[in-house]
Amino acid sequence: MLRALRVKSYRFSLSWSRIFPDGTPSSLNQKGVDYYNRLINSLIANKITPMVTLYHWDLPQALQNLGGWENETMIDIFNDYCDFCFATFGDRVKLWMTINQPHSIAWLGYGLGQIPPNVKNPGTAPYLVAHNLIRAHAKAYHTYDDKYRTSQGGLVSIALNADWVEPKDVNVLREVVAADRALQFQLGWFAHPIFKNGDYPDAMKWQVGNKSDLQDLSESRLPSFTEEEKNYIKGTADMFCVNHYTTKIVGHVTGPLSPHSYASDRDLTETEESDSPTTAIQNQRAVAWGLRRLLNWIKEEYGNPQVYITENGVATQSSTTWDDSARMFYYKTYIDEALKAYELDGVRVHGYIATSLMDSFEWLQAYKVGFGLHHVDFSNPNRPRTPKYSAHFYYQVIKDNGFPMPDDEKMLYGHFRKDFLWSTATASYQIEGGWRSDGKGLSIWDKFAHTPVRVSDSDNGDIACDSYNKVEEDVAMLRQLKVTHYRFSISWSRVLPDGTTNNINEAGLNYYHRLVDALLAANIQPHITLYHWDLPQALQKIGGWENETIIVKFTEYADFIFSRLGHKVKFWITINEPYNIANVGHGYGVAAPGISFRPGTLPYIVGHNLLKAHAEAWHLYNEKYRANQKGIISITINSDWSEPRNPYKQEDIDAARRVIQFYIGWFAHPVFNGDYSDVMKTIIRERSLAAGLPKSRLPEFTPEEVKRIKGTYDYFGFNHYTTVLAFPVEYGDLQHYDADRGAGTIADRTYLDSGSGWLKISPFGFRRILNFIKEEYGNPPIIITENGISERGPVDLNDTPRSYYYEKYINQALKAYLLDDVDVRGYTAWSLMDNLEWATGFSERFGLFYVNRSDPKLPRVAKNSVNLYSTIISCNGFPDPALGPNDCLPEGMLTQTVTPDVDKPVQFLGMKLSVTDAETGLNTTFALLIVRLLLKLELLIDGDAFAKFCMNHLVPLEVTVGEN
């Protein structure tokens, strides 16, 4: 198993009673010694360094009969045992741990009595036992130092354990002090004497001393070291070894004086960190970030020693054989935090040891849980071992020595096409306000937001960002961004209050005329969405999107807008995110109209009508308006990318594929391929029939409808934010979209967070789903119509996470364009400004501009991400900094001078070119290639710079170029 993992070291413990059955050298058991010699020799033969723990809790019972660690004579007895082990195995063992987790021995064994020797004396015994353990460790260390170090050249330490403790409130000094006190009572109890000053932490001496005084005791229950002992103990470790598993939340209390107890001496409370995943061990949650904080605390407290993480792992139920995805996530996140501590914080992390090699007897849990990278079948007398998926994962981490940046995450330098569309976006209900102004009718979001408990903090869009009265200010923001386009939606109920052309609200329509005219005056093209979720409430009263008559009403509404605004607008979207309308609004019910009582049928009916309504609006524009207005029109479809939770498991791979087909494929397949995907049709039909229904819950298109819907696009409008991990879930006979999909989704814990629980930063998924669209739908032109990230909490105009998000995601789009030939035509950042984020209200902020809601004028303030996004727009991509300074021309193109090395590929204007003719430098063919690329890309070129480049680096060549 160790060979297969390719580990560099293996930490194991010696059984004291196997070597000395009664604990003393006079009872030497040679067969026990032979076992360890065989093990050590085998490790050495396989180039695996043994890391040996001398005492891991299993004291010979004969010594416990003499009082165990409460008896001071144990110090010399332990030293004799260590001396024998150093002499016998030390020629091959270079890494020694004297004692594992002395805190657990002292408190759990002698205080609470939860583990052997089951002594329950919480007020005195733990301190006495710890005192003896520390002195025993120091004596063993000095024995090695005096007798064996010169000849054997090994290192000796002690393995201490520590949770990280986070203050209950970091802004309250008393809570911060309590958290530090908790660490001092756990880790500092043993680390201070050994690594700092030879004595217990002041916090411990102060607390226990004062408690003892208040308890009318003549002296502190915490023993004292003599000055000689302090000097003897101080420095008795060659590296800092720490075992870590979880994080606790600590608050200050005044502990009781009676009964005497180590627990109440600390004056604090401990609770779970409730936001993190649970494990198979009660009160041991997987809180990866705590490891990095603990390592930094050790660095600051003890002078940045060399640190070995000597235990770290997670328990799963014993029924887990090989599919242990939870363990993979645990290792991935915890090792990543250790890496951050090493690379970013300068903590001297020298080693990491995963607990455990295999499932084993897990102390009080016996065989109910397992920590193993390998499953052990305890029902089989041969105890066969089987690697779990976590073993494969850990092998890869060891092989890579961490987490090297994948090639698909490295920056690509280059540029998008010349006419690339750069945009930002908003939606009417989220920004306009003016909910009853100038005759506007009610929408389903007006009704939803005014229904109690629907929207966080009882927020609503009555005023929102007041964009209805701030056209000039909104356009000024767009000018500052330097966008070429602006995507916004029309409020159906603002222009047609009852949803029909029987009642036209000219005042509402005039708002959009003013906005469109202001945009065009600023040389910004309007990109209009006809429907972004805010259906007129009057239409909802007659069934809304469930009623097939909505198709005609939506077509009439579209006809009205095309006729009034189409002569000024060239970019159209019929419907935004039909998935969310159908499933979130009519399945889960957490968005307007808030329907959730028919989740197995209604979403599919609504989706069916949305597709037919879109198709009719598209044909209307195509047949009646396109020739004169010369615009383009499509639908915007949204989707996450989905990866298998366990990449080694076919069932998870299949689940990830189903997630995609049931998400993006639900609406993209009919529009681009003519009908629902075979995956959806087959699964929903089979599950419907199996439940006794007469037909599939997924409606069918007639042959005429298939023809009518297929091809109703001029581009693929696509909204994307994040990546999820999928795994199979069996729902039985439940008739529901989730059950049809047969998959659950979670986020990878290592992905960076945002202000939205569902949105994790995962740029690589963007390129992958763009490639999926290319392969699945014939490489249609793609306009990315939404992409962005939220924040929550205190406002910070230095929104570094948003800048990071945009840089990484846009660069992935560039890779899809330049490297994968995906036909990406435009990119839209969500959102122009902080606004009402639907059911989460104003708590989540996606804006490039901050809207100060504490000021009744609702001023807009640029965040730092505005500079980043406007620079990318000006440069039309990412110029290569290795090629020297680049000035982005107003048109967004680059001019640059390149001095290639004939032996290496060069990057010129985002294109990699290879030089093969070393004798003449750049040959004529290469020169022509450059010119052809430039002409093909239609780039604006600085003529003088290009001529100089040719004269310096090309053989004589006459080239005629157009006036550009």
Side-chain angles (χ1 to χ4, degrees):
M1 289 187 289
L2 294 164
R3 254 201 321 262
L5 284 172
R6 295 191 180 181
V7 295
K8 295 179 181 177
S9 65
Y10 174 47
R11 181 185 174 213
F12 63 95
S13 72
L14 304 178
S15 168
W16 190 343
S17 59
R18 189 180 299 282
I19 295 173
F20 295 163
D22 71 0
T24 66
S26 61
S27 64
L28 174 65
N29 174 27
Q30 189 58 44
K31 288 185 178 181
V33 174
D34 293 343
Y35 162 65
Y36 291 117
N37 274 322
R38 289 200 311 276
L39 173 57
I40 292 168
N41 290 339
S42 295
L43 291 170
I44 297 296
N46 285 281
K47 298 181 180 179
I48 299 170
T49 300
M51 178 180 274
V52 175
T53 303
L54 291 160
Y55 178 61
H56 197 132
W57 303 0
D58 50 347
L59 188 71
Q61 181 61 34
L63 297 181
Q64 185 59 40
N65 294 339
L66 301 176
W69 286 105
E70 289 183 279
N71 189 336
E72 196 172 19
T73 62
M74 278 295 302
I75 297 170
D76 290 329
I77 296 172
F78 179 67
N79 187 63
D80 291 341
Y81 161 62
C82 294
D83 195 351
F84 174 84
C85 293
F86 295 149
T88 306
F89 308 119
D91 58 323
R92 290 151 293 157
V93 175
K94 306 303 176 187
L95 295 171
W96 294 97
M97 304 286 107
T98 56
I99 298 166
N100 181 75
Q101 292 191 194
H103 178 276
S104 299
I105 301 167
W107 177 232
L108 300 181
Y110 289 84
L112 294 176
Q114 291 179 349
I115 64 172
N118 306 106
V119 174
K120 296 180 181 179
N121 182 2
T124 305
Y127 298 125
L128 176 61
V129 167
H131 207 66
N132 289 334
L133 287 167
I134 292 169
R135 291 188 293 172
H137 156 77
K139 185 158 189 173
Y141 178 90
H142 283 290
T143 294
Y144 187 86
D145 203 42
D146 296 339
K147 293 178 64 175
Y148 301 102
R149 188 185 300 276
T150 301
S151 60
Q152 295 181 2
L155 301 174
V156 179
S157 190
I158 184 171
L160 307 180
N161 64 297
D163 300 333
W164 173 246
V165 286
E166 189 74 8
K168 186 176 180 180
D169 187 340
V170 295
N171 297 309
V172 177
L173 179 60
R174 190 173 69 168
E175 308 287 22
V176 176
V177 172
D180 185 75
R181 190 163 63 245
L183 277 169
Q184 301 291 1
F185 264 80
Q186 186 181 28
L187 182 58
W189 189 359
F190 302 91
H192 257 62
I194 295 168
F195 290 93
K196 197 159 192 176
N197 58 7
D199 200 1
Y200 296 117
D202 289 340
M204 279 195 80
K205 292 192 292 184
W206 172 265
Q207 286 287 128
V208 183
N210 281 313
K211 291 276 186 180
S212 300
D213 199 13
L214 291 168
Q215 292 158 348
D216 296 324
L217 300 178
S218 58
E219 59 182 2
S220 175
R221 285 177 284 107
L222 181 68
S224 298
F225 293 115
T226 65
E227 290 302 316
E228 184 180 6
E229 285 176 330
K230 291 178 187 177
N231 292 328
Y232 190 71
I233 293 167
K234 181 181 178 182
T236 55
D238 300 317
M239 61 275 198
F240 197 112
C241 297
V242 62
N243 301 348
H244 173 77
Y245 291 91
T246 193
T247 287
K248 301 291 176 60
I249 305 299
V250 166
H252 173 86
V253 295
T254 300
L257 295 175
S258 179
H260 304 171
S261 175
Y262 159 87
S264 54
D265 288 342
R266 300 177 305 163
D267 280 348
L268 53 87
T269 59
E270 284 184 335
T271 57
E272 288 187 41
E273 200 290 309
S274 57
D275 292 333
S276 299
T278 58
T279 72
I281 302 291
Q282 188 176 7
N283 299 323
Q284 196 176 95
R285 289 183 177 250
V287 193
W289 50 263
L291 176 57
R292 181 181 178 185
R293 298 187 186 188
L294 176 64
L295 291 172
N296 272 277
W297 191 87
I298 292 170
K299 171 191 172 185
E300 299 301 327
E301 192 77 359
Y302 301 113
N304 202 14
Q306 289 186 9
V307 177
Y308 286 77
I309 301 163
T310 40
E311 280 185 30
N312 182 241
V314 66
T316 53
Q317 295 299 326
S318 59
S319 58
T320 303
T321 52
W322 40 267
D323 183 10
D324 62 338
S325 301
R327 182 171 287 104
M328 285 199 299
F329 283 128
Y330 186 97
Y331 283 133
K332 186 175 185 179
T333 52
Y334 272 80
I335 297 172
D336 192 50
E337 291 298 319
L339 181 62
K340 291 175 188 174
Y342 171 72
E343 287 204 331
L344 303 180
D345 309 329
V347 180
R348 298 168 64 200
V349 181
H350 277 240
Y352 175 89
I353 298 169
T355 303
S356 170
L357 174 63
M358 62 188 124
D359 293 337
S360 59
F361 181 80
E362 195 49 51
W363 310 113
L364 300 183
Q365 300 284 341
Y367 300 104
K368 294 178 183 178
V369 302
F371 277 83
L373 291 159
H374 296 79
H375 172 67
V376 178
D377 184 358
F378 293 106
S379 66
N380 186 325
N382 294 320
R383 300 294 192 268
R385 286 94 153 116
T386 305
K388 302 177 186 177
Y389 283 127
S390 58
H392 295 278
F393 171 77
Y394 191 47
Y395 159 82
Q396 192 63 46
V397 175
I398 293 170
K399 181 181 177 183
D400 293 336
N401 197 34
F403 303 98
M405 181 183 288
D407 289 339
D408 63 0
E409 292 185 16
K410 296 176 181 176
M411 288 292 291
L412 173 71
Y413 299 107
H415 307 90
F416 292 97
R417 52 190 291 145
K418 178 184 176 182
D419 58 351
F420 195 74
L421 180 159
W422 290 104
S423 183
T424 187
T426 58
S428 53
Y429 186 74
Q430 294 181 273
I431 67 163
E432 286 180 3
W435 75 301
R436 302 311 301 265
S437 298
D438 300 331
K440 177 189 174 297
L442 291 175
S443 76
I444 58 174
W445 267 96
D446 290 319
K447 178 73 176 292
F448 188 84
H450 281 267
T451 303
V453 199
R454 289 293 201 178
V455 178
S456 294
D457 298 325
S458 297
D459 290 335
N460 59 57
D462 294 0
I463 299 173
C465 303
D466 197 27
S467 285
Y468 187 65
N469 298 304
K470 291 181 177 292
V471 169
E472 293 78 11
E473 292 178 46
D474 288 356
V475 174
M477 289 189 289
L478 295 165
R479 282 201 202 95
Q480 187 174 345
L481 279 173
K482 303 178 184 177
V483 293
T484 61
H485 293 66
Y486 173 46
R487 181 188 169 211
F488 62 94
S489 74
I490 289 178
S491 168
W492 189 344
S493 59
R494 189 179 297 283
V495 295
L496 303 177
D498 66 1
T500 74
T501 53
N502 296 329
N503 181 11
I504 297 171
N505 180 23
E506 294 292 347
L509 183 65
N510 185 54
Y511 163 66
Y512 296 109
H513 275 294
R514 288 188 290 112
L515 176 58
V516 168
D517 291 343
L519 291 169
L520 294 175
N523 199 26
I524 297 168
Q525 290 294 316
H527 193 166
I528 291 183
T529 304
L530 292 170
Y531 182 67
H532 199 131
W533 306 358
D534 48 349
L535 187 73
Q537 181 63 26
L539 297 182
Q540 185 61 38
K541 289 179 180 178
I542 58 171
W545 286 104
E546 182 183 3
N547 187 336
E548 198 169 12
T549 62
I550 193 72
I551 298 167
V552 173
K553 291 180 171 59
F554 180 71
T555 307
E556 291 174 348
Y557 160 58
D559 194 0
F560 171 74
I561 298 298
F562 294 150
S563 67
R564 294 298 194 95
L565 291 173
H567 60 293
K568 297 186 279 191
V569 177
K570 307 303 179 189
F571 297 87
W572 295 97
I573 294 168
T574 55
I575 295 166
N576 178 77
E577 297 187 353
Y579 172 90
N580 282 357
I581 300 166
N583 201 34
V584 180
H586 295 82
Y588 302 136
V590 294
I595 299 172
S596 59
F597 54 87
R598 283 183 289 149
T601 55
L602 187 55
Y604 297 131
I605 294 169
V606 169
H608 207 64
N609 289 333
L610 285 163
L611 283 163
K612 291 193 284 186
H614 154 74
E616 291 308 312
W618 189 91
H619 282 290
L620 169 72
Y621 187 84
N622 193 50
E623 295 161 8
K624 187 176 178 180
Y625 295 101
R626 189 188 298 274
N628 290 327
Q629 296 182 1
K630 298 180 173 25
I632 58 175
I633 182 170
S634 200
I635 186 172
T636 275
I637 295 169
N638 65 303
S639 184
D640 301 334
W641 175 242
S642 178
E643 288 282 314
R645 178 181 67 175
N646 190 331
Y648 306 107
K649 185 181 178 185
Q650 187 61 45
E651 292 92 334
D652 285 21
I653 295 171
D654 294 341
R657 291 171 178 166
R658 286 197 304 278
V659 167
I660 292 295
Q661 291 296 343
F662 271 76
Y663 204 160
I664 191 173
W666 184 357
F667 298 94
H669 260 69
V671 172
F672 291 86
N673 290 349
D675 199 358
Y676 297 118
S677 70
D678 289 339
V679 172
M680 282 193 75
K681 290 195 294 185
T682 301
I683 291 175
I684 299 172
R685 181 188 303 112
E686 290 179 352
R687 296 191 78 257
S688 298
L689 297 178
L693 300 177
K695 63 178 182 179
S696 175
R697 287 174 286 108
L698 181 67
E700 294 184 6
F701 294 116
T702 66
E704 292 76 17
E705 287 172 335
V706 168
K707 292 178 183 177
R708 188 73 172 162
I709 294 170
K710 183 178 181 180
T712 54
Y713 69 90
D714 297 323
Y715 58 91
F716 196 119
F718 183 51
N719 295 354
H720 174 79
Y721 290 88
T722 193
T723 292
V724 296
L725 305 181
F727 55 94
V729 177
E730 178 55 57
Y731 287 86
D733 294 332
L734 179 65
Q735 303 296 292
H736 189 287
Y737 167 86
D738 289 339
D740 294 335
R741 189 176 68 167
T745 60
I746 58 172
D748 189 312
R749 296 178 200 164
T750 61
Y751 297 167
L752 296 174
D753 286 328
S754 71
S756 305
W758 57 270
L759 201 171
K760 308 295 182 182
I761 301 177
S762 42
F764 71 92
F766 196 18
R767 180 181 177 187
R768 294 184 188 182
I769 200 165
L770 290 173
N771 272 275
F772 173 87
I773 293 170
K774 172 192 171 184
E775 299 301 327
E776 194 82 354
Y777 305 115
N779 202 16
I782 298 173
I783 297 176
I784 298 151
T785 41
E786 282 184 28
N787 180 241
I789 184 176
S790 62
E791 76 237 343
R792 64 166 58 233
V795 175
D796 186 356
L797 297 179
N798 183 20
D799 56 341
T800 302
R802 179 169 290 104
S803 294
Y804 176 87
Y805 183 98
Y806 282 137
E807 179 182 71
K808 299 304 181 185
Y809 272 75
I810 296 172
N811 198 252
Q812 290 292 333
L814 180 67
K815 291 172 185 174
Y817 170 67
L818 285 180
L819 303 182
D820 309 329
D821 295 320
V822 179
D823 192 4
V824 183
R825 302 283 182 93
Y827 176 87
T828 307
W830 183 271
S831 172
L832 174 61
M833 62 188 126
D834 296 336
N835 52 49
L836 181 89
E837 192 46 42
W838 306 111
T840 60
F842 296 104
S843 62
E844 296 178 10
R845 303 184 300 278
F846 278 84
L848 287 153
F849 287 82
Y850 164 61
V851 177
N852 184 358
R853 300 190 55 77
S854 63
D855 185 332
K857 295 181 180 179
L858 299 174
R860 286 85 157 116
V861 183
K863 303 176 187 176
N864 285 1
S865 56
V866 168
N867 295 327
L868 180 280
Y869 187 45
S870 62
T871 298
I872 293 174
I873 292 172
S874 295
C875 296
N876 200 39
F878 300 87
D880 189 347
L883 298 177
N886 290 276
D887 295 323
C888 297
L889 300 177
E891 293 83 358
M893 297 299 107
L894 288 180
T895 176
Q896 56 192 32
T897 301
V898 184
T899 306
D901 182 333
V902 296
D903 296 321
K904 298 178 181 178
V906 299
Q907 185 136 325
F908 187 77
L909 294 169
M911 311 293 285
K912 285 188 176 179
L913 310 172
S914 295
V915 182
T916 56
D917 190 345
E919 293 182 0
T920 60
L922 297 177
N923 58 23
T924 302
T925 303
F926 184 43
L928 286 172
L929 176 61
I930 292 176
V931 174
R932 287 174 60 195
L933 287 171
L934 294 172
L935 293 176
K936 182 179 179 181
L937 294 174
E938 299 180 323
L939 295 175
L940 295 174
I941 308 163
D942 183 312
D944 291 339
F946 183 70
K948 183 177 180 181
F949 172 84
C950 292
M951 286 188 290
N952 288 345
H953 301 292
L954 304 182
V955 296
L957 173 69
E958 184 175 337
V959 179
T960 302
V961 190
E963 54 186 44
N964 281 338

